[in-house]
Amino acid sequence: DAEITQSPRHKITETGRQVTLACHQTWNHNNMFWYRQDLGHGLRLIHYSYGVQDTNKGEVSDGYSVSRSNTEDLPLTLESAASSQTSVYFCASSEVPREGNTQYFGPGTRLTVL
Amino acid sequence: QQQVKQSPQSLIVQKGGISIINCAYENTAFDYFPWYQQFPGKGPALLIAIRPDVSEKKEGRFTISFNKSAKQFSLHIMDSQPGDSATYFCAATYQGGSEKLVFGKGTKLTVNP
């Protein structure tokens, strides 16, 4: 079955380190998204991509970057981790909708920055 | 600027009761309104969605009511069960919005047995 996976599921790092979170989907979807989820803020969009070599900034993109070298993967990099980036990160994918805009979410990565 | 406002933040209902979660939006260009359900430790998953050309959509015990003039929509869970305990997010998007969803802040629903 098609799916979307994230790794690692849990990560503890130190302030200032570079961290990369992986996202892999097997639906062959063109659209991929990264969100962070924090209590009281819901889901906030970090970056998104509509296809290979395409990346766009979301509402909370500062301190994060993404690259899209193939259809299946959209890794999220924290250039220099900060304590404010402690959060749960979700990756999602979707296809150009025939009916609605269903985004399929991964299981999440819980990141702690000490 | 928060474009989708969701209330309440948390909700406790008894088994068999009706759970009601409300959302209001600002952007009149929105034309697709999904609800996502998230269980602890899991990613959100699409529960039910509606377009503004209908006022209500029902799937099993879950119903979306939509009021275009008031720019409001709500999720009703009939005969709520403990297994419905989860966080619910409303969202909105629009054609030309490049598939981006704008989410509400979520409602944590607890259904007591």
Side-chain angles (χ1 to χ4, degrees), chain A residues 30-42:
Chain A
N30 282 320
N31 307 324
M32 296 185 72
F33 309 83
W34 273 104
Y35 296 88
R36 61 177 290 174
Q37 183 175 24
D38 305 286
L39 200 61
H41 290 278

Side-chain angles (χ1 to χ4, degrees), chain B residues 44-58:
Chain B
L46 179 67
L47 179 65
I48 186 173
I50 196 170
R51 291 199 179 275
D53 53 345
V54 296
S55 60
E56 184 175 284
K57 183 173 182 180
K58 183 176 182 179

Side-chain angles (χ1 to χ4, degrees), chain B residues 3-94:
Chain B
Q3 296 190 59
V4 178
K5 294 184 178 180
Q6 183 173 347
S7 63
Q9 270 191 307
S10 62
L11 179 62
I12 300 174
V13 301
Q14 293 299 120
K15 178 182 176 181
I18 302 174
S19 304
I20 302 175
I21 304 170
N22 300 300
C23 286
Y25 63 96
E26 300 166 3
N27 189 340
T28 55
F30 286 148
D31 64 358
Y32 180 70
F33 302 88
W35 285 88
Y36 281 77
Q37 179 188 54
Q38 183 183 28
F39 293 106
K42 305 291 186 182
L46 179 67
L47 179 65
I48 186 173
I50 196 170
R51 291 199 179 275
D53 53 345
V54 296
S55 60
E56 184 175 284
K57 183 173 182 180
K58 183 176 182 179
E59 291 184 1
R61 296 183 294 106
F62 300 90
T63 300
I64 300 178
S65 297
F66 188 85
N67 186 328
K68 188 174 182 179
S69 61
K71 293 187 288 185
Q72 295 176 347
F73 59 109
S74 59
L75 176 69
H76 295 238
I77 305 175
M78 311 300 288
D79 186 26
S80 298
Q81 299 296 312
D84 297 330
S85 297
T87 299
Y88 293 82
F89 293 95
C90 61
T93 189
Y94 59 97

Side-chain angles (χ1 to χ4, degrees), chain A residues 22-103:
Chain A
C23 175
H24 179 79
Q25 53 98 1
T26 58
W27 276 298
N28 202 36
H29 285 165
N30 282 320
N31 307 324
M32 296 185 72
F33 309 83
W34 273 104
Y35 296 88
R36 61 177 290 174
Q37 183 175 24
D38 305 286
L39 200 61
H41 290 278
L43 291 155
R44 293 183 291 174
L45 184 63
I46 305 171
H47 280 287
Y48 55 102
S49 168
Y50 297 137
V52 177
Q53 302 301 328
D54 176 77
T55 62
N56 306 277
K57 294 181 178 180
E59 64 175 300
V60 290
S61 60
D62 288 349
Y64 303 94
S65 64
V66 293
S67 61
R68 187 89 179 269
S69 59
N70 58 53
T71 300
E72 295 80 17
D73 300 288
L74 187 69
L76 177 71
T77 297
L78 287 68
E79 302 294 343
S80 177
S83 58
S84 60
Q85 295 177 307
T86 292
S87 185
V88 181
Y89 292 86
F90 288 100
C91 178
S93 71
S94 72
E95 190 46 88
V96 176
R98 292 188 295 276
E99 177 60 34
N101 174 18
T102 300
Q103 290 191 13

